[in-house]
Amino acid sequence: MPVDSATEIRDILEYETIAVVGCSSSPGKAAHDVPAYLQKQGYDIHPVNPFADEILGRVAADSLSAVDAAIDIVCIFRPSEEVATIVDEVLERDDVDVVWMQLGIRDDDAAARAEREGRQVVQDRCMKVAHREFGG
């Protein structure tokens, strides 16, 4: 079952490194403003966007597999139809503990697959709001 308890959310928010798939270079978009907020809170943000060179002062990776750093959380800002493919990339990595699908994004089948492989999953929840509520 996807994570929903305050205790589990608080524990997830203790992680430090977040790859943001679909991170935007456009201020005013949630896919930019949420990672910017998280970065200001001290999280190590790794933007993933094949159409950008740099976001939030960091080199943007073309794909999740191109992120060289160890990742704790993969935060997804892509349509629900793309989640299964992103989870495929997550499962190719040994370092990802959590798949976090932002508000309005969910894929129950992909979530179940990630959970079977030992990853925690959060669906349809804004990480910024959760941080303000449970971790800020």
Side-chain angles (χ1 to χ4, degrees), residues 1 11-13 16-18 25 31 34 42 54 56 62 68 70 72 78-79 83 93 106 110 113 128-129 132:
M1 302 253 356
D11 289 346
I12 288 170
L13 292 171
E16 298 175 358
T17 306
I18 305 169
S25 58
V34 171
E54 183 180 300
L56 301 173
D62 288 341
D68 290 334
D72 300 315
R78 298 298 303 148
V83 169
R93 299 183 66 111
R106 69 178 306 119
R113 199 159 38 92
K128 177 180 176 180
V129 172
R132 285 182 170 168

Side-chain angles (χ1 to χ4, degrees), residues 78-81 101-106 123-126:
R78 298 298 303 148
S80 296
E81 306 83 62
M101 297 173 226
Q102 281 295 126
L103 195 60
I105 303 168
R106 69 178 306 119
Q123 293 195 99
D124 192 20
R125 187 172 207 145
C126 179

Side-chain angles (χ1 to χ4, degrees), residues 85-123:
T85 302
I86 296 165
V87 167
D88 288 343
E89 283 190 272
V90 166
L91 297 179
E92 290 176 11
R93 299 183 66 111
D94 294 329
D95 54 351
V96 178
D97 294 307
V98 180
V99 175
W100 189 300
M101 297 173 226
Q102 281 295 126
L103 195 60
I105 303 168
R106 69 178 306 119
D107 181 327
D108 294 333
D109 292 335
R113 199 159 38 92
E115 288 173 329
R116 279 194 303 274
E117 296 295 325
R119 279 31 175 235
Q120 289 182 290
V121 176
V122 178
Q123 293 195 99

Side-chain angles (χ1 to χ4, degrees), residues 10-24:
R10 279 189 193 96
D11 289 346
I12 288 170
L13 292 171
E14 293 294 319
Y15 286 111
E16 298 175 358
T17 306
I18 305 169
V20 182
V21 178
C23 193
S24 175

Side-chain angles (χ1 to χ4, degrees), residues 25-58:
S25 58
S26 302
K29 288 188 172 185
H32 178 275
D33 295 348
V34 171
Y37 166 85
L38 294 169
Q39 188 179 54
K40 287 178 184 167
Q41 302 310 308
Y43 290 95
D44 184 15
I45 301 296
H46 294 269
V48 178
N49 183 330
F51 304 107
D53 294 326
E54 183 180 300
I55 302 173
L56 301 173
R58 305 289 304 262

